[in-house]
Amino acid sequence: MHPQTGTPITPISNLNTFTPDLTATHACEAILGYTFHHPLHLYEALLASGSALTLGPHPRFRSGNKRLAIIGDRILDLLLSLAWYPTGEERLTFDTLRNNVTSNKNLEAVGTRNGLGSFVTLAEGATV
């Protein structure tokens, strides 16, 4: 039970049981060419900073996608470094590549260009 409201809390221990809006999920998956095994990861990724996904009486992700972004940034770093390393280029080349590819400005442009912008949940009162 939620201590303040007294309503039952159903923990999300198995992300496979979360049932998101399937129309939006399928549309994003078609754009990305990837099927999510855990649809909640997709929903978290599409939460802008300051927005929150509410499941039951409490927000599930209070800081939007910031927590997931940490993992995504490390994965991008790994993939970029694996592509850069065999080239023999200097470290400065990698740093420039990483800064260009992983910047929020570039990631927003890529998402918008691919039609994902309409699926982003903005913080209350925020506008595009």
Side-chain angles (χ1 to χ4, degrees), residues 107-124:
L107 295 174
E108 179 183 357
V110 170
T112 300
R113 189 170 52 245
N114 287 292
L116 294 171
S118 63
F119 298 102
V120 174
T121 300
L122 300 174
E124 189 172 328

Side-chain angles (χ1 to χ4, degrees), residues 25-26 28-39 42:
T25 299
H26 293 314
C28 288
E29 288 175 338
I31 290 168
L32 297 170
Y34 177 81
T35 300
F36 284 81
H37 300 285
H38 304 292
L42 173 60

Side-chain angles (χ1 to χ4, degrees), residues 2-104:
H2 189 276
Q4 295 172 340
T5 65
T7 57
I9 297 176
T10 305
I12 303 175
S13 58
N14 180 351
L15 295 177
N16 287 322
T17 63
F18 175 70
T19 52
D21 173 2
L22 293 179
T23 302
T25 299
H26 293 314
C28 288
E29 288 175 338
I31 290 168
L32 297 170
Y34 177 81
T35 300
F36 284 81
H37 300 285
H38 304 292
L40 194 56
H41 291 158
L42 173 60
Y43 273 80
E44 183 178 0
L46 294 171
L47 292 173
S49 178
S51 61
L53 174 62
T54 301
L55 299 174
H58 58 286
R60 172 74 165 99
F61 304 108
R62 287 176 169 53
S63 59
N65 63 12
K66 284 187 174 188
R67 293 179 66 243
L68 188 61
I70 292 169
I71 296 169
D73 289 346
R74 299 301 76 80
I75 292 170
L76 274 174
D77 279 350
L78 175 62
L79 294 173
L80 290 171
S81 64
L82 290 173
W84 161 81
Y85 185 78
T87 69
E89 293 288 332
E90 295 296 321
R91 169 71 190 260
L92 180 60
T93 304
F94 172 72
D95 290 340
T96 302
L97 174 66
R98 179 179 56 197
N99 290 338
N100 290 337
V101 171
T102 65
S103 72
N104 286 341

